[in-house]
Amino acid sequence: KAGVTQTPRYLIKTRGQQVTLSCSPISGHRSVSWYQQTPGQGLQFLFEYFSETQRNKGNFPGRFSGRQFSNSRSEMNVSTLELGDSALYLCASRPPFRTRYIGHQPQHFGDGTRLSIL
Amino acid sequence: GENVEQHPSTLSVQEGDSAVIKCTYSDSASNYFPWYKQELGKGPQLIIDIRSNVGEKKDQRIAVTLNKTAKHFSLHITETQPEDSAVYFCAARSGGSYIPTFGRGTSLIVHP
């Protein structure tokens, strides 16, 4: 079974531009979450999508947005890029819940998109 | 919300030694605790997890222990090997949220 696929792997942008990152979850996974990883802040949750609906949102400004398509693929968009947006952006998908252990299914991460802002 | 503290931030051991990474959490409702290993240039990969109704879980050289009363859990790696060198993250998921809160990570270095 193919893992979580993120494209592109590397991206260089300049301040003020916008960027769109893509994530294809593991087949059968309908939940997709996005994280920002930086050396100073660690792994910070951005948002989660399930069945094309945003279900949870972290504490990030409105410049960060996302969406999910009917095939569960997800995109994340960052507008008006700032230097501080330089980070590794990780996508994770989760299998459907099993009745007995709702919430106990682990997330499976992709290898991320390294975004550098010049 | 949940807060997860992880220590140490860096751990250096000799090959063959044991390594222990400790995490504490704040929300007594947390009931699921995964551990992830992140190698350079890769995303975090799940290595072991434990539910709140279990005190200990082992998988070959890796074990996790959970003390719900003290709200802390630990990762134990025995007979460390150079390929164990990576950043390890603990996480805790509260019963009210499907989103785990991650610790800041521990950089484990295993010297041959």
Side-chain angles (χ1 to χ4, degrees), chain A residues 1-51:
Chain A
K1 202 180 230 186
V4 176
T5 304
Q6 291 188 247
T7 56
R9 288 298 312 278
Y10 303 93
L11 209 46
I12 298 175
K13 293 285 187 179
T14 56
R15 281 182 298 174
Q17 287 187 309
Q18 74 165 10
V19 67
T20 299
L21 313 182
S22 180
C23 171
S24 294
I26 293 172
S27 177
H29 290 193
R30 293 165 60 192
S31 166
V32 173
S33 297
W34 288 89
Y35 291 83
Q36 182 193 67
Q37 185 176 29
T38 59
Q41 298 298 321
L43 272 162
Q44 291 192 290
F45 171 72
L46 281 154
F47 28 66
E48 181 201 22
Y49 284 87
F50 180 83
S51 292

Side-chain angles (χ1 to χ4, degrees), chain A residues 6-15 17-23 34 75-79 81-83 85-89 111-118:
Chain A
Q6 291 188 247
T7 56
R9 288 298 312 278
Y10 303 93
L11 209 46
I12 298 175
K13 293 285 187 179
T14 56
R15 281 182 298 174
Q17 287 187 309
Q18 74 165 10
V19 67
T20 299
L21 313 182
S22 180
C23 171
W34 288 89
E75 287 183 348
M76 185 191 113
N77 185 76
V78 188
S79 62
L81 286 165
E82 300 176 359
L83 291 177
D85 297 334
S86 293
L88 179 67
Y89 289 88
D111 288 335
T113 293
R114 173 73 61 185
L115 176 63
S116 298
I117 311 303
L118 303 179

